[in-house]
Amino acid sequence: MADKKKKMHLGMFLLPAGHHLSAWRLPGVEPAGWKDMGFLADIARTAERGKFDLIFLADADGLWQPDLEALSRDPGALFLEPFTLLSALAMVTDKIGLVASASTTYNAPFHVARKLASLDHISRGRAGWNIVTSFQTHIAANFGMDTQPLHADRYRVADEYVQLACELWDSWDDEALVCDKESGQYLDLNHLHVPEHTGETYSVKGPLNISRPPQGHPVLVQAGSSDAGKTLAAKFADIIFTVQTTLESAQSFYADVKARARAAGRDPDTVKVMPGIFPVIAETEEEADRTFEEMQRYVDPRNGLSMLAGYGFPIDMTKHDLDDPFPELPETEGQQWRRQVIMDLARKDDLTIRQVCRLVAVSRGHFFVKGTPETVANVMQDWLEGGAADGFNLMLPKMPSSLEGFVDKVVPELQKRGLFRTEYEGQMLRDHLGLARPAARRD
């Protein structure tokens, strides 16, 4: 029966112009839509009309990369702070989850825990936290640091940070807020639990000055795919957002993190693996090809070079020509898994620097599919049923047309196959994901 099939989870990774690096230059795209709340509200409502699980916002604590000449061509240089934006979008949506990125390197745990609890209350239980450790060295200067901590150190700190956030969310039992007008008692302090956390990095007394979130803990998302990232995800994450480019690599990653979750004492089914996917959709395969080539026509290789530099992989063009073979990328304290993905793609097809630049301009290293709604649905079904994914984080090429096309064409196809919900089955993000409200941690 169709209703017995494994159901797919869908997120929308929101970049207001779209995920193609040149989307802002395309006809019908608003280049500065990131600051237009009417535009952003329409996008959120369209995603909710499609019954998506969540909207996902990336973030950085500064400019994407420090090269000012490259910055002049960077459509992602300016963006709204995620908690502010998602709080506003909570007012124009009812069910869709709202996931904000926040760095464990450049924020105090108390602040992040408080903001997430606030967003969860404002949205009536729809908040999520994309846990990032940050990878861009130049951003350290925004916080009075000469350089950022090493990769291993950032993940070690993140482990304690997330544990501390959970302790802070559990400061108050649900029964603590009594509001007894007759007696004058507002809070029952028998239901107060002061964390008094003392760890390797943090010493925080608490308690948090906000009630326990409606979801208990906001949904935790982790996007690192390095060994340290997978270990952190297996311990804490409800959702893992990953970069995979083939069915085989996705199956291997899926099996690995599910096994790590089981080893960490968790039910692997409660850890949802959602790779990024960049779909180009049209009524015919030929039209999809034309749509893709139209986007590619606007690609400037310098933008691809700039993006690689932003990820921490600068290429010295005084030593290379764009049509030289793609060089070995240096080891990095930044995004280690993305480096490996890009190198594997370049080696597999003997790509030149120009070709890699065009490739990262499309999907930023994520899985790319183009074709009819049926073709796109076929691929997504293969990954879902082939042990490669529990769902997908959609990286839509251009906005709002790519979102509208997916909602109006692909979603009905997935629903027809019994692979995706036709209605929301609950109010909270945890409801959409089939996750229980976590018990308070008292250890």
Side-chain angles (χ1 to χ4, degrees):
M1 296 291 290
D3 61 353
K4 297 297 183 182
K5 288 184 178 180
K6 179 180 178 181
K7 294 293 197 296
M8 185 180 297
H9 300 287
L10 291 178
M12 180 189 66
F13 187 158
L14 176 58
L15 285 184
H19 276 267
H20 193 283
L21 193 57
S22 299
W24 67 279
R25 301 177 63 190
L26 299 173
V29 175
E30 173 49 59
W34 62 269
K35 61 177 182 176
D36 183 338
M37 277 309 304
F39 173 78
L40 294 169
D42 285 344
I43 287 176
R45 285 189 287 254
T46 300
E48 187 166 75
R49 177 168 65 82
K51 313 302 179 187
F52 288 13
D53 294 66
L54 58 94
I55 295 169
F56 176 99
L57 282 184
D59 191 38
D61 291 299
L63 294 174
W64 173 251
Q65 45 88 15
D67 182 346
L68 294 184
E69 195 280 328
L71 192 68
S72 69
R73 303 186 305 274
D74 184 357
L78 306 176
F79 42 88
L80 296 177
E81 189 279 319
F83 288 100
T84 308
L85 173 55
L86 291 178
S87 294
L89 294 182
M91 298 296 95
V92 296
T93 56
D94 295 313
K95 297 291 181 66
I96 196 165
L98 305 164
V99 177
S101 297
S103 172
T104 58
T105 300
Y106 300 123
N107 292 286
F110 191 97
H111 283 147
V112 169
R114 187 182 184 209
K115 289 176 182 178
L116 281 158
S118 298
L119 179 59
D120 209 46
H121 280 286
I122 289 167
S123 64
R124 293 176 298 154
R126 295 187 280 142
W129 174 22
N130 179 40
I131 304 158
V132 297
T133 66
S134 299
F135 60 87
Q136 293 151 309
T137 300
H138 67 277
I139 285 178
N142 292 340
F143 300 90
M145 301 164 61
D146 294 330
T147 187
Q148 67 179 357
L150 298 178
H151 184 272
D153 292 337
R154 297 200 308 275
Y155 274 94
R156 175 183 52 77
V157 169
D159 186 291
E160 182 183 346
Y161 192 115
V162 178
Q163 173 64 40
L164 174 52
C166 293
E167 292 173 14
L168 288 166
W169 290 323
D170 293 340
S171 296
W172 300 92
D173 293 333
D174 296 327
E175 299 83 3
L177 186 63
V178 294
C179 300
D180 188 329
K181 294 184 178 182
E182 185 66 28
S183 69
Q185 183 181 19
Y186 192 74
L187 295 169
D188 183 347
L189 298 187
N190 292 315
H191 292 287
L192 168 62
H193 307 274
V194 180
E196 297 192 60
H197 175 98
T198 301
E200 184 178 349
T201 302
Y202 297 107
S203 178
V204 177
K205 182 179 180 182
L208 202 63
N209 54 341
I210 187 170
S211 298
R212 193 166 193 252
Q215 294 184 103
H217 301 162
V219 167
L220 300 180
V221 184
Q222 214 282 322
S225 297
S226 66
D227 189 69
K230 288 187 285 189
T231 298
L232 183 69
K235 185 173 181 180
F236 293 112
D238 301 304
I239 297 173
I240 301 176
F241 173 37
T242 178
V243 182
Q244 304 297 331
T245 58
T246 67
L247 176 62
E248 294 73 23
S249 67
Q251 289 169 326
S252 177
F253 179 90
Y254 187 93
D256 185 10
V257 294
K258 295 283 185 171
R260 290 177 188 238
R262 185 179 294 107
R266 302 179 63 196
D267 178 355
D269 289 340
T270 65
V271 181
K272 310 299 182 181
V273 179
M274 296 174 63
I277 184 172
F278 180 99
V280 177
I281 307 155
E283 291 301 319
T284 66
E285 303 291 340
E286 294 75 19
E287 184 182 348
D289 289 338
R290 287 194 299 271
T291 299
F292 176 66
E293 289 306 319
E294 173 67 11
M295 289 188 283
Q296 289 296 84
R297 187 168 68 83
Y298 288 90
V299 173
D300 183 337
R302 294 176 298 176
N303 292 70
L305 289 169
S306 175
M307 176 169 285
L308 289 171
Y311 284 130
F313 312 131
I315 297 175
D316 186 352
M317 292 308 295
T318 65
K319 300 178 181 178
H320 297 284
D321 183 84
L322 281 171
D323 294 311
D324 285 349
F326 192 77
E328 183 76 19
L329 291 174
E331 294 291 336
T332 177
E333 290 296 330
Q335 289 199 328
Q336 296 181 359
W337 180 252
R338 193 177 296 267
R339 171 191 178 275
Q340 190 61 50
V341 167
I342 292 170
M343 288 306 309
D344 288 348
L345 288 169
R347 290 182 183 129
K348 175 177 174 287
D349 295 318
D350 296 321
L351 299 180
T352 65
I353 294 173
R354 185 189 305 275
Q355 288 170 321
V356 171
C357 287
R358 289 174 64 82
L359 186 65
V360 297
V362 177
S363 60
R364 305 161 199 261
H366 287 267
F367 181 57
F368 164 50
V369 60
K370 59 183 170 68
T372 64
E374 293 77 15
T375 297
V376 173
N378 287 343
V379 172
M380 297 175 77
Q381 182 171 2
D382 287 344
W383 282 47
L384 180 74
E385 296 179 343
D390 296 307
F392 299 91
N393 206 5
L394 295 167
M395 307 176 70
L396 297 158
K398 62 177 185 175
M399 299 293 274
S401 59
S402 295
L403 173 61
E404 293 164 350
F406 192 94
V407 167
D408 293 334
K409 302 293 184 179
V410 180
V411 166
E413 183 65 27
L414 295 171
Q415 291 169 332
K416 182 175 70 176
R417 302 179 190 197
L419 299 173
F420 190 62
R421 68 174 63 88
T422 55
E423 295 294 339
Y424 287 110
E425 294 153 2
Q427 167 64 35
M428 300 187 188
L429 178 53
R430 287 187 175 274
D431 296 331
H432 309 339
L433 297 167
L435 300 176
R437 189 175 192 255
R441 301 185 183 199
R442 299 292 181 223
D443 50 0

